[in-house]
């Protein structure tokens, strides 16, 4: 099992550019979560999906952020346009169906907007 | 919604001593409490978890205790080693929340030789 796979690992972009982060969950996991981690705010839940359907996107900070999960093996988080305050580590995590299972996190994407 | 508070924010211990991290939660319906360890520059990794029908769980040098009445749970690390140095996060979730975890703010543990 390759675990949760995120790409790219690092992204440096200029303010105003579009950024797309990608995630492949563990096969068979049916819940997928996008988190943002910063020193100031810790781990913030942005959005999560169950069986490819968005359940709660109340954590998405602004309309500049959007996320999709077109199938069970792929999800994207897009920021358009990006701003310097979006700089953070973005983690994707997945978990299997059923009660009481913790997440498996991906390695994260470190985003720097200059 | 659920709110999880974690203390202390930093913890420095001598190698070989014990470390204790405490968390409180607000939602009495929460029933699953995992702990994650995050080393510098790496992903959070699940190290131990406890469910609401259990009061204590051990795995080698780590243990977690849960007091549902008081709505708090703790992580205990015995015989600490330098490789235990990391940030530790507690979290809580409830059955009807699709597995959504609410994380504490984290505890930076530094084990000095």
């Amino acid at each position: 099992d390759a675990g949760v796979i995120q790409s790219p690992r690092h992204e440096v972009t200029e303010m105003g550019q579009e950024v797309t982060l990608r995630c492949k969950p563990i096969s068979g996991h049916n819940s997928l979560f996008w988190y943002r981690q910063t020193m100031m705010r810790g781990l913030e839940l942005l959005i999560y999906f169950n069986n490819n359907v968005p359940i709660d996107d109340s954590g998405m900070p602004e309309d500049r952020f959007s996320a999709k999960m077109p199938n069970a093996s792929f999800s994207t988080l897009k920021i358009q346009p990006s701003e310097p305050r979006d700089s953070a580590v973005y983690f994707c995590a997945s978990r299997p169906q059923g009660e009481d299972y913790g997440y498996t996190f991906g390695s994260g994407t470190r985003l720097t907007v200059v | 919604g659920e709110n999880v508070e974690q203390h202390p924010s930093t913890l420095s211990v001598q190698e070989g001593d014990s470390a204790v991290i405490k968390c409180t939660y607000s939602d009495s319906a929460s029933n699953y409490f995992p702990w994650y360890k995050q080393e510098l520059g790496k992903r959070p990794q699940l190290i131990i978890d406890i469910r609401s029908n259990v009061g204590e769980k051990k795995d080698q040098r780590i243990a977690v205790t849960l007091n549902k009445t008081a709505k708090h749970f703790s992580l205990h690390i015995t015989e600490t080693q330098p490789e235990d140095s990391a940030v530790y996060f507690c979290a809580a979730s409830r059955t009807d929340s699709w597995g959504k975890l609410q994380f504490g703010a984290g505890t930076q543990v530094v084990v000095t030789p």
Side-chain angles (χ1 to χ4, degrees):
Chain A
D1 188 348
V4 177
I5 300 173
Q6 289 187 248
S7 64
R9 289 296 306 276
H10 302 274
E11 176 80 31
V12 180
T13 191
E14 291 186 347
M15 182 174 63
Q17 296 298 306
E18 178 179 295
V19 175
T20 299
L21 311 181
R22 296 172 175 80
C23 176
K24 176 179 168 55
I26 291 173
S27 177
H29 284 194
N30 70 326
S31 294
L32 183 141
F33 304 80
W34 282 101
Y35 278 83
R36 177 171 69 176
Q37 186 176 38
T38 60
M39 288 294 291
M40 291 299 293
R41 302 173 73 92
L43 279 163
E44 296 177 276
L45 177 63
L46 301 177
I47 185 172
Y48 62 103
F49 297 84
N50 187 265
N51 292 327
N52 314 336
V53 176
I55 301 300
D56 184 351
D57 66 354
S58 61
M60 297 285 258
E62 298 170 37
D63 291 344
R64 299 184 296 105
F65 286 69
S66 63
K68 294 181 180 179
M69 191 164 185
N71 56 62
S73 59
F74 184 65
S75 177
T76 59
L77 178 68
K78 185 177 294 186
I79 308 172
Q80 166 63 22
S82 57
E83 296 183 5
R85 60 193 166 126
D86 302 330
S87 298
V89 179
Y90 290 80
F91 285 104
C92 173
S94 70
R95 69 184 287 277
Q97 179 78 30
E99 296 184 8
D100 308 341
Y101 288 104
Y103 303 163
T104 299
F105 281 86
S107 296
T109 294
R110 181 172 296 278
L111 174 64
T112 303
V113 184
V114 298
Chain B
E2 175 67 278
N3 182 46
V4 177
E5 294 193 357
Q6 183 170 348
H7 300 280
S9 57
T10 59
L11 181 59
S12 183
V13 296
Q14 287 279 101
E15 182 178 357
D17 287 349
S18 295
V20 180
I21 303 170
K22 298 182 179 180
C23 289
T24 60
Y25 60 98
S26 60
D27 187 349
S28 56
S30 289
N31 55 4
Y32 176 65
F33 308 92
W35 286 86
Y36 287 81
K37 175 183 180 182
Q38 185 177 27
E39 297 176 356
L40 188 62
K42 303 216 174 151
R43 77 188 79 187
Q45 290 194 294
L46 179 67
I47 56 172
I48 194 167
D49 56 16
I50 192 167
R51 291 159 178 79
S52 58
N53 58 347
V54 175
E56 183 176 359
K57 183 176 179 180
K58 288 184 179 180
D59 183 3
Q60 300 183 333
R61 295 186 298 107
I62 60 173
V64 58
T65 58
L66 171 66
N67 183 327
K68 284 213 71 178
T69 303
K71 291 191 283 188
H72 67 70
F73 56 113
S74 301
L75 178 71
H76 304 253
I77 308 173
T78 58
E79 300 172 22
T80 53
Q81 301 169 3
E83 53 265 37
D84 295 328
S85 296
V87 178
Y88 291 80
F89 294 94
C90 62
S93 74
R94 49 189 290 170
T95 302
D96 60 355
S97 68
W98 306 94
K100 179 179 71 172
L101 289 173
Q102 183 66 43
F103 283 90
T107 297
Q108 174 78 60
V109 174
V110 178
V111 180
T112 53

